[in-house]
Amino acid sequence: MNALMNALPLVFADPDQILLYRQQGGDTRAITARQFMVDAEALAVDLTTGPGAQQFIINLCQDRYRFLVGFAATILAGKTNLLPSTFTGETLRQIFIDTPDALCLHDHDDWPFPYPHFSLAHLSLARLSLANRCHREPSPDGLGESGQIKPEHVVAQVFTSGSTGLPMPHNKTWGKLVRNVEAALQQLGISSPVSLVGTVPPQHMFGFESLVLLCLIGRCPLWSGKPFYPADIVAALDAMPEPRMLVTTPFHLQALLDAQIALPRIDRLLLATAPLSVELAERAECVTGAPLYEIYGSTETGQIANRRPTQSTAWTLFPGITLTKAHPDENDELYIANGEHIEAPVMLSDRIHLRADGQFDLLGRVADQVNMAGKRSSLNYLTAQIKAIDGITDGVFFLPEPKKNQAGKNRAGKDQVITRLCAVVVAPGLNAADILAALRDRLDPVFLPRPLILVESLPYNATGKLPQIALQAILDQHLAALAPKDQTSWRIPADHPVFAGHFPGHPLVPGALLLDWVVERVAAYWQVSSLGLRIEQAKFAHPVLPDARVTLDLQAEADRCRFTLKVHTGETNPVAVSGMLGRQPNDAAGDTESKRA
């Protein structure tokens, strides 16, 4: 009884209040909180009595209503939702390594993955009747009375986006999430329900808080569709009653405004997930007539601050959230966030300037800082510079993941790491040489990208972010395309003039001639001038005689190329020369790397 008294509702809306709107055929159907709970409780029974004993449910549903039903059913069954913000085979593989007994809940027609799954794709929700039920007692924390949830129950593990590496899970308890949403409603001045249309996946922390939780806790009716294109967003807004709030990202907002189509009335814009320029915010408020608010937070902390960028660059903390210096140094820009709905103190990933009035300014990501040849810059600044070049429609700088050679170590026995910056650019009508020439007017040469890769579009995910793994894949594909596909061979004729003086009576191919040929071949594969290459290492192991045929194998990376030169003697093919070539630090090697990925 005491536990029930301390419990919190799963759905805060009155039973007959409309919770969601769904497209059904050509009509829009309203679903009440009562109908929603019928569906959630029916699915919860299946999750507690079905085959297996999965404690973790990976909720991959794209339709917002199916996601909400799966989310609520998982909680009612006393289980935990796993919410990966990206849906790929690699993401699932990583999750199942850590939680091998998980079950995937999805609404896809096809399921190409070798993992246990349960599909809601063809279920008629609001009159849910699932088959194949096994008789088994519910778990101790099973169906709650009247949908009451213990505050300490871990209802979800939300995963980071993967924009800086592998996605990582973070526990979210129901009590803290309720406090999170209550603080957001107060901070954003939402005193009565507002209709929600969102382009952000419900699995992403921003979409989870500002769509799923605002619906369940904030009593705000939600559009169940997954609008992405401008026409879809307009249709969804038009189907929802006023007042309306569009929850979106800078990427989707830019596309919506660029489409120049008539917009229904929007009463509020709420954005997060990526840097938002003041220019875009001003344009959005001018076109829509709606105030635009921006949310600051992370998967680890949840939302902790907001601002209206057209009025102030400073961020205002949510009630009860505190920032304390991570180190006693008064010039330190690293802060720890704590208080209210934050599950545990979190070191912020951004550098902070805390104002005397408690507001703060963002100075850039900690991981955004780059140090090249003793000089510092930031990836955000470098990206802004490349985007400012006429003719470039999109682009991004990034630092590749450390790479090791085949042996895993370099010549000194240490890990060999690629530290050159890369840039991926969308620039119809421009070539890499044009772009690099423009960058030289803006950047120190040490920050010029090598390589610079031209693509048709950047690999944004559903939240408008560019995952590191997707950018790395573009780079890997680019380097693979530049690498030699076949061996290169050369027969050195006996009448070659070099033998006249090397050596009379005992002719040998000079090592310098062999190295000159290697340099020219590497320059050809990299499509650069041979003057910009340097020989870092060369080991001569076997003489090369007149009329010999030699073959060259290359293993090319971003700035280095390992070579092996073998001589064909008829029976064996001994290595004549092996070594490493590199590009000069200030070489314009990237100028001709204009292949499109």
Side-chain angles (χ1 to χ4, degrees):
M1 186 68 176
N2 289 336
L4 189 59
M5 289 176 62
N6 295 327
L8 295 165
L10 176 60
V11 177
F12 282 60
D14 294 332
D16 294 324
Q17 181 180 335
I18 294 174
L19 203 62
L20 292 103
Y21 289 86
R22 297 191 77 210
Q23 188 74 32
Q24 192 165 14
D27 300 324
T28 299
R29 177 186 171 193
I31 299 173
T32 65
R34 188 191 311 277
Q35 292 169 319
F36 168 78
M37 285 300 295
V38 168
D39 286 348
E41 288 172 352
L43 180 57
V45 171
D46 283 81
L47 294 179
T48 56
T49 61
Q54 292 93 348
Q55 177 61 26
F56 296 97
I57 307 298
I58 307 173
N59 193 333
L60 302 171
C61 293
Q62 300 299 298
D63 176 88
R64 277 43 166 170
Y65 185 55
R66 290 191 173 102
F67 174 90
L68 273 163
V69 168
F71 176 76
T74 298
I75 299 171
L76 292 172
K79 302 178 185 295
T80 298
N81 290 270
L82 300 188
L83 306 181
S85 62
T86 55
F87 175 32
T88 64
E90 176 60 21
T91 299
L92 290 180
R93 188 183 72 83
Q94 291 292 336
I95 291 176
F96 273 92
I97 289 175
D98 296 328
T99 53
D101 62 341
L103 173 72
C104 295
L105 192 67
H106 66 95
D107 55 2
H108 301 273
D109 291 330
D110 300 315
W111 182 253
F113 306 106
Y115 306 115
H117 66 103
F118 192 105
S119 176
L120 298 182
H122 303 295
L123 294 178
S124 177
L125 296 174
R127 286 195 293 187
L128 188 59
S129 178
L130 304 179
N132 301 321
R133 297 183 177 179
C134 297
H135 296 289
R136 195 182 73 189
E137 291 298 319
S139 61
D141 291 325
L143 302 185
E145 249 183 78
S146 303
Q148 297 293 308
I149 310 302
K150 296 178 181 178
E152 67 273 16
H153 179 53
V154 178
V155 299
Q157 286 186 358
V158 187
F159 286 71
T160 55
S161 65
S163 57
T164 59
L166 286 176
M168 299 298 294
H170 294 274
N171 288 342
K172 303 296 174 182
T173 59
W174 188 242
K176 294 281 190 177
L177 290 176
V178 170
R179 291 163 71 177
N180 175 329
V181 174
E182 289 174 345
L185 292 171
Q186 177 183 339
Q187 190 81 349
L188 295 172
I190 301 177
S191 56
S192 58
V194 56
S195 296
L196 303 174
V197 172
T199 64
V200 190
Q203 293 87 355
H204 186 274
M205 193 64 195
F206 177 47
F208 181 53
E209 291 172 323
S210 300
L211 295 174
V212 175
L213 298 182
L214 272 183
C215 175
L216 293 177
I217 301 168
R219 305 178 176 88
C220 294
L222 173 65
W223 177 251
S224 75
K226 181 189 173 185
F228 181 85
Y229 296 106
D232 299 331
I233 297 172
V234 169
L237 288 167
D238 208 30
M240 296 292 281
E242 299 181 23
R244 309 180 182 105
M245 182 165 74
L246 177 60
V247 179
T248 189
T249 71
F251 173 76
H252 294 101
L253 180 62
Q254 178 82 54
L256 178 63
L257 298 179
D258 288 346
Q260 296 184 337
I261 54 180
L263 300 176
R265 177 180 173 83
I266 302 174
D267 297 273
R268 186 185 296 255
L269 294 162
L270 190 65
L271 277 82
T273 75
L276 173 69
S277 68
V278 175
E279 292 76 17
L280 180 58
E282 291 175 341
R283 181 185 173 198
E285 289 194 353
C286 179
V287 171
T288 65
L292 185 151
Y293 295 92
E294 195 175 3
I295 291 292
Y296 174 77
S298 65
T299 304
E300 298 89 332
T301 63
Q303 53 192 347
I304 62 172
N306 77 312
R307 69 176 179 178
R308 187 175 174 186
T310 59
Q311 296 185 352
S312 174
T313 60
W315 296 87
T316 301
L317 288 167
F318 279 21
I321 301 296
T322 61
L323 297 180
T324 56
K325 279 185 176 292
H327 307 290
D329 182 0
E330 64 179 20
N331 295 319
D332 187 44
E333 297 168 339
L334 300 180
Y335 281 81
I336 295 173
N338 197 11
E340 283 302 307
H341 60 265
I342 300 177
E343 298 283 350
V346 176
M347 173 84 77
L348 296 180
S349 298
D350 294 279
R351 295 178 297 114
I352 298 290
H353 167 66
L354 191 61
R355 299 187 180 190
D357 60 1
Q359 293 186 312
F360 66 92
D361 300 288
L362 294 179
L363 304 179
R365 302 280 288 181
V366 174
D368 186 56
Q369 302 302 296
V370 290
N371 189 323
M372 307 298 294
K375 299 180 180 181
R376 293 184 179 182
S377 187
S378 73
L379 295 175
N380 191 46
Y381 172 79
L382 297 173
T383 294
Q385 293 302 308
I386 204 167
K387 284 185 174 182
I389 296 173
D390 288 340
I392 290 180
T393 59
D394 206 356
V396 64
F397 269 82
F398 77 101
L399 201 59
E401 296 173 357
K403 290 284 187 180
K404 296 181 180 180
N405 59 26
Q406 276 188 320
K409 304 289 182 181
N410 64 10
R411 297 186 305 276
K414 298 180 179 180
D415 289 339
Q416 179 176 316
V417 178
I418 298 173
T419 56
R420 294 298 305 183
L421 287 164
C422 297
V424 183
V425 179
V426 180
L430 295 181
N431 59 40
D434 296 331
I435 298 169
L436 286 165
L439 280 176
R440 287 192 182 92
D441 292 334
R442 295 172 173 269
L443 302 177
D444 187 289
V446 300
F447 297 116
L448 292 178
R450 216 165 28 236
L452 186 148
I453 307 170
L454 295 174
V455 297
E456 298 296 331
S457 62
L458 295 186
Y460 290 102
N461 64 17
T463 62
K465 290 189 175 184
L466 291 169
Q468 174 79 14
I469 191 172
L471 295 174
Q472 186 69 41
I474 290 177
L475 173 62
D476 291 344
Q477 180 184 358
H478 176 78
L479 294 179
L482 292 180
K485 300 299 186 296
D486 302 302
Q487 290 182 328
T488 302
S489 64
W490 180 32
R491 178 182 170 275
I492 307 166
D495 59 356
H496 194 289
V498 74
F499 293 122
H502 199 276
F503 295 99
H506 300 281
L508 293 175
V509 177
L513 180 65
L514 295 173
L515 291 178
D516 281 347
W517 181 62
V518 171
V519 169
E520 291 300 328
R521 297 314 306 158
V522 173
Y525 283 122
W526 265 340
Q527 303 179 36
V528 299
S529 168
S530 61
L531 298 176
L533 302 183
R534 66 185 185 277
I535 299 172
E536 295 187 349
Q537 179 188 27
K539 180 180 179 180
F540 294 88
H542 195 280
V544 180
L545 303 177
D547 258 344
R549 184 170 67 90
V550 293
T551 58
L552 178 64
D553 286 316
L554 301 179
Q555 294 178 343
E557 296 179 353
D559 280 340
R560 287 183 173 86
C561 182
R562 185 176 297 278
F563 67 88
T564 303
L565 190 72
K566 294 182 179 180
V567 58
H568 291 254
T569 62
E571 296 181 359
T572 62
N573 301 320
V575 174
V577 191
S578 61
M580 180 82 74
L581 290 180
R583 307 193 200 199
Q584 297 291 352
N586 294 324
D587 172 44
D591 287 6
T592 55
E593 291 180 2
S594 57
K595 292 186 179 180
R596 293 189 175 269

